[in-house]
Amino acid sequence: MSSVSLKDVAAAADVSFQTVSKVLNGKGSVAPKTRSRILEAAGSLGYVPNALARSLQGTSTHTIGVISTDFSRPEVALNIVGIEHEARRHDVAVIIGSLDPDGTDCERYLRVMLERRVDGVIMNAPATEHYPRVGELLRDSFTAVSLHEVAGGGVPVVRPNAQDSGLLPTRHLLQLGHTRIATITGQAGRRITEHRTEGYRRALEQRSVAFDATIVEPGEWTVEGGYAATHRLLDRAEDVTAIYVQNDRMAIGALSALHDRGLRVPDDCSVVGCDGVAESARTIPPLTTVHIPFHETGETATRLLLDIISGQSKPRSITLPVSMVYRSSTASPQPR
Amino acid sequence: MSSVSLKDVAAAADVSFQTVSKVLNGKGSVAPKTRSRILEAAGSLGYVPNALARSLQGTSTHTIGVISTDFSRPEVALNIVGIEHEARRHDVAVIIGSLDPDGTDCERYLRVMLERRVDGVIMNAPATEHYPRVGELLRDSFTAVSLHEVAGGGVPVVRPNAQDSGLLPTRHLLQLGHTRIATITGQAGRRITEHRTEGYRRALEQRSVAFDATIVEPGEWTVEGGYAATHRLLDRAEDVTAIYVQNDRMAIGALSALHDRGLRVPDDCSVVGCDGVAESARTIPPLTTVHIPFHETGETATRLLLDIISGQSKPRSITLPVSMVYRSSTASPQPR
DNA sequence: CTGTTAGCGCTTTCAA
DNA sequence: TTGAAAGCGCTAACAG
């Protein structure tokens, strides 16, 4: 472990350690001879500046915290990768915390971020969107940007257009001629689920198709959840001719369930996913879905956070556009 | 932003800041009255200790670095989540760096970790396994544990049994009666690819089935790569009756390609994946695969790293067992 | 051009 | 039981 300090370099170059500091930071003026002597000493000693000591008197730690829901889900991972890429572009380090499913450990993580004096925090924790204490902490003690709503508001939110994520695919199905369109939703009680469902509902309304709560089935975001939800749905309403599944992983489960029931996609039932994960291109059949810019969302949130920290930008929320990806899991309803 | 310091608390409680330090760290003996006065002052002022200052004279920063290949791939994400979980259990913060595909920015990240004086580093960067400079740095300047081999060795490696990951599924196919068994490999030149292929080869040898390089096709680990590789493979060798695909994402592509060619799985061709991602349970048909304990690998590596740091353990490598998951994409070959 | 003085927030002796 | 002194590695301001 490197523990060569400025003083060590100074001793080797026979100058004061403050002069070394100047040279290494390119500040002040130093005699060329001294400078090169110092540079050489630093090089041969393998000097590496101590970022902690540096942060101690500066105002910035060049570090941000990311508190995220379990990022083994690919969409979430893409968010984080986007965040990390943008942070790195600005020479900012990222400390990460991954929450348990209920987000009950969020405050603990926030505390850690406080102790480490991060310059700001990016929240990607839908589970905490109704926790007032988290919202309070974020507003009072941090410069923060969130990818989901925050209890009590007051924190800039950067996210893909969730309502369009429901509206676009539903409209697509309507345009194909479907009228019995079911939806398999994400986790109940989450804003993002509400928004996607709201988009679905609005698309129906625009075409004067009645919303029917009996063909709205929760699927928990998981492959298995989507599989089970599809069975429950079709056990109850076999006249459904199309399903908008609120994420691709559940859609993979839905395709499997449909297949197990002897139903052909899209002939007997159309399916639209949401998210645009890589796998969706090669499901059987390839999945029509909504492309959500997860990576870009992470980048944008980070850029905003960094701009707010540096005073270059005022806090504001940003919504990113989503777009349809048409593949072969959707078609006009066939007479049966 | 909280910038209440020990001195502020001391002033409020009318004692010296050193006494406050004692109380807050539970050291030394302090009069009960003083103690409670200090505690109250700290509480009402919202004092949060500065971890950076604390690290400055201590020997540890309670921080580890993780340098990883792009973790938007679910297997990789699982590794990282495992690392994070274990670190958090030990109250250690995690700084993350995600490499570009070639890992050329690895040294830069290592430098950042050095500057931040992390206690140790976990490497998950197969792309750098042949970079001597990375190996050197790791050995000379860090306490490190890697999830992949490191150039020049000397760094403990914690990883799932890669050879078994090839041997077990191939043996399964052989036991079903297949003899024309192809494999779609991961990225060429990577150790993990070599190991999985070596396992495949060994299983064949054990049953005296000749290894045939013409039915070994590289697939780049991606869905699309697996799709394309399957087509290339079958264009060349249509007598293949089974394929061991070296990861589940490529296997999804393979199932799709097989379907597009009008081949039925498993009747016309059996497919075994590798990794055991959630999607594999609901592909069409559900995929027989190898379960790889990615989360546990991350946890184990972290526990080892932390133990090495604290001197509780000597550096050593650990191999974790993998296991078969039997589903419906494999069957005995059918006469055609 | 260079070194001195001061201090970031904290922990750790050591005296009082 | 408490506080004063010292120092972790560094930067910043100023004097020489």
Side-chain angles (χ1 to χ4, degrees), chain B residues 73-188:
Chain B
R73 287 159 44 194
E75 329 85 76
V76 183
L78 274 172
N79 280 325
I80 313 275
V81 170
I83 291 169
E84 204 279 335
H85 281 170
E86 187 65 23
R88 163 246 241 298
R89 239 170 256 139
H90 296 262
D91 273 312
V92 165
V94 174
I95 295 181
I96 201 157
S98 87
L99 298 175
D100 61 38
D102 295 330
T104 49
D105 44 356
C106 186
E107 289 181 42
R108 201 183 140 188
Y109 272 116
L110 251 10
R111 164 89 187 192
V112 169
M113 301 300 175
L114 237 26
E115 291 180 355
R116 311 232 159 207
R117 298 297 192 266
V118 296
D119 294 339
V121 161
I122 294 192
M123 291 292 297
N124 188 13
T128 68
E129 66 190 357
H130 299 304
Y131 293 1
R133 296 246 325 132
V134 169
E136 224 171 273
L137 259 168
L138 250 22
R139 280 187 296 276
D140 296 350
S141 310
F142 288 96
T143 303
V145 167
S146 177
L147 307 191
H148 296 266
E149 249 151 280
V150 168
V155 174
V157 177
V158 174
R159 64 181 156 187
N161 191 323
Q163 183 155 321
D164 274 4
S165 305
L167 188 139
L168 264 31
T170 310
R171 183 180 285 165
H172 166 60
L173 292 169
L174 288 161
Q175 280 167 345
L176 286 171
H178 294 274
T179 51
R180 276 303 271 174
I181 304 173
T183 186
I184 293 178
T185 75
Q187 208 163 333

Side-chain angles (χ1 to χ4, degrees), chain A residues 1-4 47-56 61-63 70-74 77-78 80-81 84-85 88-89 91-100 105 108-109 111-112 114-120 140-143 223-224 227 249 252-253 255-256 259-260 278-279 281-284 286, chain B residues 1-4 47-56 61-63 70-74 77-78 80-81 84-85 88-89 91-100 105 108-109 111-112 114-120 140-143 223-224 227 249 252-253 255-256 259-260 278-279 281-284 286:
Chain A
M1 280 292 157
S2 149
S3 52
V4 179
Y47 172 74
V48 177
N50 184 326
L52 290 87
R54 193 174 269 174
S55 300
L56 202 51
T61 52
H62 294 283
T63 305
D70 180 6
F71 50 90
S72 54
R73 287 160 43 196
L78 275 172
I80 314 273
V81 171
E84 203 279 335
H85 281 170
R88 164 245 241 297
R89 240 169 256 139
D91 273 313
V92 165
V94 174
I95 295 182
I96 201 157
S98 87
L99 298 175
D100 61 37
D105 44 357
R108 202 183 139 189
Y109 272 116
R111 163 90 187 190
V112 169
L114 236 27
E115 290 181 355
R116 312 232 160 209
R117 299 296 192 268
V118 296
D119 294 338
D140 296 350
S141 310
F142 288 97
T143 302
V223 177
E224 293 307 318
Y227 180 83
R249 309 182 72 222
I252 288 173
L255 291 177
S256 176
H259 182 262
D260 286 358
E279 287 78 2
R282 296 296 172 191
T283 50
I284 298 173
Chain B
M1 280 288 158
S2 150
S3 53
V4 180
Y47 172 74
V48 177
N50 183 326
L52 290 88
R54 191 174 270 175
S55 299
L56 201 52
T61 52
H62 294 282
T63 305
D70 180 7
F71 50 90
S72 54
R73 287 159 44 194
L78 274 172
I80 313 275
V81 170
E84 204 279 335
H85 281 170
R88 163 246 241 298
R89 239 170 256 139
D91 273 312
V92 165
V94 174
I95 295 181
I96 201 157
S98 87
L99 298 175
D100 61 38
D105 44 356
R108 201 183 140 188
Y109 272 116
R111 164 89 187 192
V112 169
L114 237 26
E115 291 180 355
R116 311 232 159 207
R117 298 297 192 266
V118 296
D119 294 339
D140 296 350
S141 310
F142 288 96
T143 303
V223 177
E224 293 307 317
Y227 180 83
R249 309 182 72 222
I252 288 173
L255 291 177
S256 176
H259 181 263
D260 286 356
E279 286 78 3
R282 297 297 172 191
T283 50
I284 298 175

